[in-house]
Amino acid sequence: MPASVTLHQLTCSTPDNHPLFTDLDLTFGPGRTGLIGRNGTGKSTLLRIIAGRIPPAAGSVSMAGTLGMLEQSVQVSPDTSLADQLGVANDLARLDRLDQGLGSIDDAGSADWSLPGRIESALKSVGLPALALDRPLSTLSGGQRTRLGLARLILAAPDIILLDEPTNNLDADGRQAVVDMLHLWRGAAIVVSHDRALLREMDAIVELTTLGAKTYGGNWDHYAEQKALELAAAEQTLASSQRRVAEIDRKIQAVTEKKARKDGAGKRKGAKGGTPKIMLGGLKENAENTSGEAARIANRLRTAAAEAAAEARAQVEILTPLSVALTPTGLPAGRTVLQADSLTGGPDADAPIIRDLSLQLTGPERVAITGPNGSGKTTLLRLLTGALPASAGTARILVPHAMLDQTVSLLDPGLSIRDNFRRLNPDAPETVGRAALARFMFRADAALQITGTLSGGEMLRAGLACTIGGEHPPQLLILDEPTNHLDIHAIEQVEAGLRGYDGALLVVSHDTDFLQAIGITRRIDLGTPQQEAG
C-alpha cells in the first residue's frame, strides 16, 4: 500500500485557546509536498500532530507506512552523543561486544554488520565527514545537527518523512544535500519550508491558512502563478463590485430626484384645487408607502453590494504584496560608506576566524557576504560594526548606519513599536512616525503592540520600519540572515521594503532568491582566500 497520511476533521488551538485550524480534512500521498503558510498558522504544530508528538483537540490522523521526522530545533543534553542522535547507540554497542568476544547469542542473532558502512555512507551523503560517534552532540553547530538529523532519516529509511524548515542554518552545500535527499526519496515527504529554491523541488504545495488548507498541484513556481491568477480574479471581482455599488447609487439618486419632482408637481396641483382632500390624502399615503418600500429595497441592494465590495477588497489586500515608498537617503554614488584594511579577529583572539581581510563599499552598493557554515560571516559583521574588537587591522563605517541582527536586538522588547520608532528617531513628529509604521503595515493599534510579543517576521518588519522608514534613513543597512524563521509572506514584505531603499546594503544570507530579489550587485565569499575583497 502506498505511503500516505490522512487527516480527519483535525482541530487544534494554541495553549491560550487561539484556534490554529478547525475540522481540517487533508491527504498527503506519495511524493514531495511543500507545506506553506504565514507564521502562526500552525505548520510545525501540524507536523508534530502527524508525528504523534502532541494530540489534536479533535479529529484523528491515519497513516499507511512508517514515519520519521526532522524537527526545526533539537534539544541537546550534555550526555547525548552522535550515536544517540542517529538512533544507533545500542546497535553499535552490540557490535562492539561481539568484536570483543563478549556478545551473547541474542547479540549475534540481532547484529547488523553493515551498520558502520551505512552510517559512513549516510554521513557522506549529507556532507558530513566520518565523525567519531561517541562525540557529544553539543559540539556540533546548528547546521551540522541538521545534517545529522537528515543522516538519521536516511539510516532509518521510513516510508514517510516530515521535515520542519530543514534548510535553516544550512549553507549552500547543506541546502543542496537536502534537495539531493528528497530527489532520491521514494516514499512520501511533507516539507515545511520558506526556502523557495527547495519548494521548487516539490510535487505539490499545500497552503495552510486560518480558513483551512488548499492544495496546488506542481511546485512553488506553479503555486506563484496560480496565486497571481487568484489576485487578478480578486481585482476583477473588486472592480465589478465597485461598479455595482456605483450603479445602485446612481439609480437611488435618479429615483430620489424623480420623486422630488413628482412631489413638487403634486403640491403645486393641490395648491390650485380641484382634487378632493380625501383623494389627495390617499394618493399621498400610497406614494409614501411605495416610496418607503422602494427605499428599503434600494438600501438592501446597496448594503449587499457594499458588503460584496468590502469582501473583494479584503481578498485583494490579502493577496497583494507589500509595496513601500521610502524617503531617499541622499547617499552619493561615489561615497565610500565602509572601509576595512587587513582586518583580523574572532571570538578567540588566538585563533581568528577572519584573517587579513580588506573590504570597501562605495555608494549604494548591495553586497552579500556568503560562505559555508563556520566561515565567519556573522563574526565579520561584528568586527565591521565594532561589536567585536579586532585583533589587527581597522574597520570604519563612514556614514550613518543601522545593524539588524538575527534577533533585531536594535529594538527594545519592552517598548511598543511606536515607542521604539520614537527612541530611534527622536526628532520625528508623531505623524511622521505613524506614517512610517503604516508603510510597513503597522497601522493604528498595530503600532502599539509590545515589540517583545511580535513574531519573527513582524520583528524584522518593525526593525526596518524604525530604521529605514523614517525621514532620515541610514545610508548603510547591515542585515544578518534576515530570512531565517520567516514565512514566505514575511520574506516578500521584507524584500519589498528593501527594494524601495536607495542606500547601501551589506547582507549575510544563504537565500539566493532573497538576494536576487533585493538586487545584490556584488558577493564576497568567505569560503575563498581572504585577501582583497573590495
Side-chain angles (χ1 to χ4, degrees), residues 161-199:
I161 56 173
L162 310 178
L163 306 182
D164 193 1
E165 296 290 3
T167 58
N168 271 4
N169 305 313
L170 290 182
D171 54 24
D173 288 343
R175 290 177 176 225
Q176 187 58 47
V178 176
V179 170
D180 293 342
M181 174 187 173
L182 286 171
H183 274 165
L184 296 172
W185 204 260
R186 293 294 174 261
I190 305 173
V191 185
V192 169
S193 182
H194 66 261
D195 185 338
R196 288 161 288 188
L198 180 61
L199 292 171

Side-chain angles (χ1 to χ4, degrees), residues 337-338 361 367 369 377-378 380-386 396-397 399-406 408 410 460 464 467-468 474-482 498 501 503-508:
V337 299
L338 183 150
L361 266 67
V367 178
I369 298 175
K377 299 181 293 296
T378 296
L380 176 57
L381 295 190
R382 298 187 67 213
L383 289 169
L384 291 173
T385 58
R396 295 178 297 154
I397 297 179
V399 296
H401 72 282
M403 163 80 174
L404 296 182
D405 56 24
Q406 293 186 37
V408 196
L410 181 78
L460 182 57
L464 291 172
T467 53
I468 66 175
Q475 295 181 333
L476 170 64
L477 183 62
I478 302 172
L479 302 172
D480 188 9
E481 294 288 5
L498 293 178
Y501 173 66
L505 274 176
L506 183 62
V507 184
V508 166

Side-chain angles (χ1 to χ4, degrees), residues 383-436:
L383 289 169
L384 291 173
T385 58
L388 180 66
S391 302
T394 60
R396 295 178 297 154
I397 297 179
L398 306 171
V399 296
H401 72 282
M403 163 80 174
L404 296 182
D405 56 24
Q406 293 186 37
T407 60
V408 196
S409 58
L410 181 78
L411 301 180
D412 184 336
L415 298 178
S416 68
I417 304 172
R418 181 194 67 178
D419 290 343
N420 267 299
F421 183 93
R422 295 174 66 179
R423 180 175 63 85
L424 297 170
N425 302 271
D427 299 329
E430 175 74 8
T431 54
V432 170
R434 286 289 190 159

